[in-house]
């Protein structure tokens, strides 16, 4: 699966060969649907969206199928142009012992095909409505499911990994709980997923976070190595690296406060953050290292030689990033914000962080390597 080139492709489905859509399985699915609608599973009830009457919103095709089958046996021509009554409000069919459809019956395929094409036989039919939970391929029911509307997960809302994982773990526990009923009835265990790929994004966020953290740490280590190779002074390299780490923390914190979430673009930018942050501090460190006199004189010389150049570089970079704020392409908008924050914090911590540490500790430059 490579959604970078094909965002709609989520993989080729594989089906459990042991799954059997038997009458026992249909009864078990119906029972779970009823238990969810009646809020008997307290652990998931707070995460399910409710209707105006406070009833959990559950899509359970077995309810429609049962109502359809009972009415179809009474009048085979009823459902070609009209839909059956809503099974949630008209449940008299449940008392009929023949509401289940037996796959072994000779009329099974014909009944299922008529069911999925009922309700005007167009885009609004049962086959379209239950496309995600009814795996009917024309001859076999490959899978059967139950769908609930989440109160927290929405296509328009992006939650953090930690928030999504609480919901994910709760529904995983729920799927394990109903496995006790479903495995014996349907031949397979339950598989839990979401239809908006929020759980996939949750996993990706964990990958992004890990890789971004590694990128920042590796970048800081390489920055220290480059700084030490340039100055040959451990304390100068260490103070400069501390300033870089402060830049990283400040940029990440500010992006979080601005409401950015960790996605592909943000993870890549954070991975190169240390490289962006080293620019100004290494100029001042190099100037300080090559100046003469005591610590105070070296600081003045560093500011005198490089201060205006560093300031000019900061100012032009920030001005250049401002037009990116108004871009309609998301990448450029994010990059503009990232660039502006990185440049600003790099200048602040190079001038007011790194040089402040140099002035405070006053480590002599006469000692070799230190």
């Amino acid at each position: 699966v490579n959604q970078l080139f094909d965002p709609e492709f989520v993989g080729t489905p594989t089906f459990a060969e042991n799954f059997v859509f038997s009458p026992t399985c249909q009864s078990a699915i119906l029972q779970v649907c009823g238990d969810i609608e009646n809020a008997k599973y307290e652990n998931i009830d707070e995460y399910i969206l409710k209707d105006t009457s406070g009833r959990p919103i559950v899509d359970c095709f077995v309810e429609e199928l049962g109502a359809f089958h009972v009415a179809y046996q009474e009048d085979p021509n009823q459902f070609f142009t009209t839909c059956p009554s809503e099974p949630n409000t008209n449940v008299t069919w449940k008392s009929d012992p023949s509401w289940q459809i037996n796959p072994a019956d000779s009329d099974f395929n014909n009944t299922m095909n008529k069911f999925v094409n009922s309700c005007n036989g167009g885009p609004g039919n049962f086959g379209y409505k239950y496309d995600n939970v009814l795996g009917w391929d024309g001859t076999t029911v490959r899978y059967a499911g139950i769908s609930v509307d989440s109160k927290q997960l929405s296509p328009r809302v992006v939650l953090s990994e930690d928030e999504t994982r609480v919901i994910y773990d709760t529904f995983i526990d729920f799927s394990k709980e109903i496995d006790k009923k479903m495995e014996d009835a349907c031949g397979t265990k339950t598989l839990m997923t979401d239809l908006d790929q929020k759980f996939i994004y949750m996993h990706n966020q964990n990958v992004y976070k890990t890789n971004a953290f590694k990128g920042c740490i590796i970048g800081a280590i390489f920055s220290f190595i480059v700084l030490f190779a340039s100055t040959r002074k451990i304390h100068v390299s260490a103070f400069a690296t501390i300033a870089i780490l402060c830049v990283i923390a400040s940029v990440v914190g500010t992006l979080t406060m601005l409401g950015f979430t960790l996605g592909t673009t943000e993870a890549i930018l954070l991975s190169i953050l240390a490289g962006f942050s080293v620019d100004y501090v290494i100029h001042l460190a190099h100037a300080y290292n090559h100046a003469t006199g005591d610590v105070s004189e070296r600081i003045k010389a560093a500011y005198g030689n490089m201060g205006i150049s560093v300031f000019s570089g900061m100012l032009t970079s920030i001005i250049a990033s401002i037009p990116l704020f108004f871009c309609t392409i998301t990448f450029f908008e994010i990059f503009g914000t990232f660039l502006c924050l990185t440049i600003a914090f790099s200048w602040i911590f190079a001038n007011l962080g790194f040089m402040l540490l140099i002035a405070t500790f006053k480590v002599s430059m006469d000692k070799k390597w230190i």
Side-chain angles (χ1 to χ4, degrees), residues 33 40 42 70-71 74 77 100-102 120 138 145 151 161 179 184 193 226 229 251 259 292 321 337 342 356:
C33 290
K40 291 186 178 181
E42 296 181 358
V70 170
E74 298 174 357
N77 297 316
Q100 299 102 329
I101 302 178
N102 193 337
N120 300 325
K151 185 189 300 184
E161 178 201 351
D179 272 343
D184 291 338
T193 187
V226 171
V251 171
T292 58
S321 70
T337 306
T342 303
L356 181 62

Side-chain angles (χ1 to χ4, degrees), residues 174-237:
F174 166 69
S175 68
K176 292 179 180 178
E177 182 179 351
I178 63 175
D179 272 343
K180 303 172 185 176
K181 299 177 180 178
M182 306 306 299
E183 189 171 10
D184 291 338
C186 301
T188 60
K189 291 186 176 182
T190 307
L191 176 66
M192 189 282 299
T193 187
D194 75 295
L195 300 180
D196 294 317
Q197 301 186 38
K198 295 296 182 180
F199 295 148
I200 295 177
Y201 183 72
M202 173 196 72
H203 172 73
N204 289 343
Q205 276 190 311
N206 183 51
V207 175
Y208 296 151
K209 178 177 67 177
T210 302
N211 290 338
F213 178 77
K214 288 180 179 179
C216 290
I217 296 301
I218 293 173
I221 293 173
F222 272 98
S223 297
F224 176 83
I225 294 172
V226 171
L227 286 161
F228 183 72
S230 301
T231 63
R232 301 295 177 91
K233 296 294 181 181
I234 291 179
H235 76 283
V236 174
S237 304

Side-chain angles (χ1 to χ4, degrees), residues 18-36:
N18 296 330
F19 174 73
V20 179
F21 191 60
S22 62
T24 304
C25 179
Q26 297 165 42
S27 297
I29 294 175
L30 183 64
Q31 181 181 351
V32 172
C33 290
D35 290 343
I36 296 175

Side-chain angles (χ1 to χ4, degrees), residues 31-177:
Q31 181 181 351
V32 172
C33 290
D35 290 343
I36 296 175
E37 290 169 350
N38 294 318
K40 291 186 178 181
Y41 296 102
E42 296 181 358
N43 57 332
I44 66 169
D45 187 59
E46 64 177 299
Y47 299 114
I48 299 179
L49 192 66
K50 309 294 194 304
D51 60 19
T52 54
S53 65
R55 189 180 183 87
I57 299 177
V58 183
D59 280 338
C60 187
F61 81 89
V62 173
E63 290 184 330
E64 303 270 20
L65 179 61
F68 171 87
H69 190 222
V70 170
Y72 175 73
Q73 293 178 92
E74 298 174 357
D75 183 2
N77 297 316
Q78 180 180 356
F79 297 99
F80 286 104
T81 57
T82 59
C83 298
S85 58
E86 179 63 41
N88 287 338
T89 58
N90 180 17
V91 295
T92 56
W93 58 268
K94 293 183 180 180
S95 61
D96 192 315
S98 63
W99 70 264
Q100 299 102 329
I101 302 178
N102 193 337
D105 291 345
S106 58
D107 197 41
F108 176 74
N109 286 359
N110 186 46
T111 303
M112 286 298 300
N113 282 323
K114 287 183 177 179
F115 169 71
V116 298
N117 289 296
S118 291
C119 281
N120 300 325
N125 60 22
F126 285 142
Y128 178 83
K129 179 180 179 180
Y130 295 115
D131 179 58
N132 291 312
V133 292
L134 173 57
W136 173 249
D137 63 2
T139 57
T140 308
V141 177
R142 306 305 301 270
Y143 62 87
I146 302 169
S147 176
V148 299
D149 288 347
S150 173
K151 185 189 300 184
Q152 292 81 9
L153 300 179
S154 167
R156 297 176 297 276
V157 177
V158 179
L159 299 179
S160 68
E161 178 201 351
D162 293 336
E163 292 175 305
T164 308
R165 190 165 293 280
V166 172
I167 303 172
Y168 174 81
D169 290 340
T170 301
F171 277 96
I172 284 292
D173 292 339
F174 166 69
S175 68
K176 292 179 180 178
E177 182 179 351

